[in-house]
Amino acid sequence: QMEPSSHPIGLDGNSIPDTTLESSIHLVSCPLGTIPIWRSEQHYPIVDIKELTQQIYTRNITRNNKNNTASLAGLSRGQDIYGTTVSINVYDPEVYGTQDKSGGLTTIISGYSFDREHTNAVGVGWFVWQSNGGDKAARFHIFYDNGQKQCFDLKCPGFIHTSPNIPLGGKLSPISKYDGPQAHMNTFVYQDTNSNWWVKFGKESTVVGYWPGELFGYLKSKGTVGYWGGLVEGPTIKYKPPPMGSGHPASEGDGKAAYVKNIKIVTRDHQLVTPMSREFDVAVENPKCYSVAHKSDQDGGVHANWGGSGDCTL
């Protein structure tokens, strides 16, 4: 399948009313029938999905687990979900360990509430992740978990990459500057009528590819929880958490703290709708390190700021 079997009602190529700079990937031009594959010698799971989902479900409760290797700060929504659009502010925070990562993402999850060992999830976002990218640049990544394995980009079978122009793992540009020009990446993840989960990128909603519905158990029918915001993950986080987002607290607001905005939701009847901010919970794993603020309703969709300086005790 090279194109989605359906498109949500209410989506058009210029549906995001925003004049902020768009962070995009340097496009390549592969011959018809081929795709760009960005090579890396490293292979690490992009996130611990089971830990991430537990943190989303516990929302703003600090569990003080000294063994945590991940921390998040963003918004969660515990209702049935069949897709989402979002604009994610892109920064390049300083990450200390080469295997650690810091980024912004959206994730759709199913199965955790009744089968924690076989949670399903799909996710799209950006990460600064030196051991994978070979540098400290913000790069575009996707990932999934089907309860049996976790995989990012094209490191293992699962995602069907159909775009000859958009490389997974590609470097994003421009990057936001603290108290300066801001840039974000626009993403759209949704399920079509064949139960496949499609990824679209950019303001023009360019198709990147899809995860086949048969890859999943619980996500084959629907998602039950969504998450939008920041994530840090890796082995050194237990004793030296890195900055998240701009490296400044959410209370500083747009231009100084990272944001997610233009959040919309796809419903069961394939309608793209603007939800109310009261439907979202604040999810902060470690309030001493990171924060969320300014959850609000805006014309383009739900908005919130997230992030923090890190360098604290989890």
Side-chain angles (χ1 to χ4, degrees):
Q1 185 175 340
M2 296 300 293
E3 292 290 337
S5 61
S6 63
H7 301 271
I9 300 169
L11 175 71
D12 61 73
N14 297 298
S15 62
I16 300 174
D18 206 319
T19 58
T20 309
L21 293 173
E22 182 178 23
S23 190
S24 60
I25 304 167
H26 176 70
L27 301 180
V28 297
S29 182
C30 288
L32 185 65
T34 68
I35 60 170
I37 299 179
W38 183 75
R39 295 295 189 187
S40 171
E41 298 302 318
Q42 305 298 327
H43 185 181
Y44 298 103
I46 194 164
V47 292
D48 185 333
I49 295 295
K50 292 177 177 58
E51 185 170 329
L52 173 64
T53 51
Q54 182 175 359
Q55 292 165 348
I56 291 172
Y57 272 89
T58 54
R59 293 174 171 82
N60 61 349
I61 299 173
T62 305
R63 292 184 290 121
N64 293 323
N65 186 345
K66 299 300 183 181
N67 294 317
N68 282 359
T69 59
S71 190
L72 57 83
L75 299 180
S76 66
R77 181 179 182 270
Q79 300 179 33
D80 288 355
I81 180 172
Y82 298 82
T84 181
T85 63
V86 62
S87 301
I88 308 173
N89 207 186
V90 179
Y91 276 91
D92 52 357
E94 181 71 22
V95 178
Y96 308 126
T98 59
Q99 294 184 35
D100 296 333
K101 57 194 73 74
S102 180
L105 71 157
T106 181
T107 308
I108 296 176
I109 302 164
S110 187
Y112 180 84
S113 60
F114 49 86
D115 188 359
R116 298 185 181 186
E117 295 303 315
H118 300 93
T119 303
N120 291 183
V122 292
V124 179
W126 63 265
F127 286 93
V128 174
W129 183 13
Q130 187 175 356
S131 64
N132 178 261
D135 56 29
K136 295 185 178 182
R139 294 180 176 271
F140 173 64
H141 291 290
I142 64 168
F143 60 93
Y144 81 91
D145 180 11
N146 67 359
Q148 302 298 323
K149 63 180 178 181
Q150 302 172 20
C151 189
F152 73 94
D153 296 346
L154 299 175
K155 292 295 185 181
C156 60
F159 187 77
I160 309 299
H161 191 179
T162 63
S163 171
N165 307 118
I166 299 178
L168 301 176
K171 186 183 297 185
L172 290 159
S173 178
I175 302 297
S176 301
K177 301 298 182 183
Y178 176 76
D179 202 19
Q182 297 297 296
H184 59 235
M185 56 176 276
N186 296 302
T187 67
F188 187 20
V189 183
Y190 77 97
Q191 187 178 46
D192 70 7
T193 53
N194 287 343
S195 299
N196 299 325
W197 288 92
W198 288 83
V199 175
K200 295 185 176 183
F201 180 86
K203 186 176 290 188
E204 301 302 321
S205 292
T206 302
V207 172
V208 179
Y210 67 96
W211 293 280
E214 57 265 27
L215 188 66
F216 304 102
Y218 305 122
L219 266 179
K220 187 173 184 178
S221 58
K222 63 182 179 182
T224 55
V225 172
Y227 174 76
W228 304 260
L231 172 76
V232 294
E233 196 268 345
T236 68
I237 287 172
K238 289 183 286 186
Y239 57 87
K240 192 174 178 63
M244 180 190 292
S246 70
H248 290 256
S251 60
E252 294 190 20
D254 289 354
K256 297 183 178 181
Y259 60 74
V260 284
K261 64 180 179 180
N262 302 325
I263 298 173
K264 295 186 178 183
I265 299 297
V266 179
T267 62
R268 182 178 182 179
D269 57 357
H270 299 282
Q271 299 276 345
L272 182 66
V273 302
T274 302
M276 303 296 290
S277 61
R278 64 172 179 266
E279 300 174 18
F280 293 74
D281 294 299
V282 170
V284 180
E285 172 67 8
N286 290 286
K288 293 184 295 182
C289 305
Y290 311 109
S291 59
V292 175
H294 306 130
K295 182 179 71 167
S296 62
D297 300 301
Q298 294 188 356
D299 291 341
V302 174
H303 167 282
N305 294 104
W306 52 273
S309 61
D311 198 18
C312 59
T313 302
L314 294 182

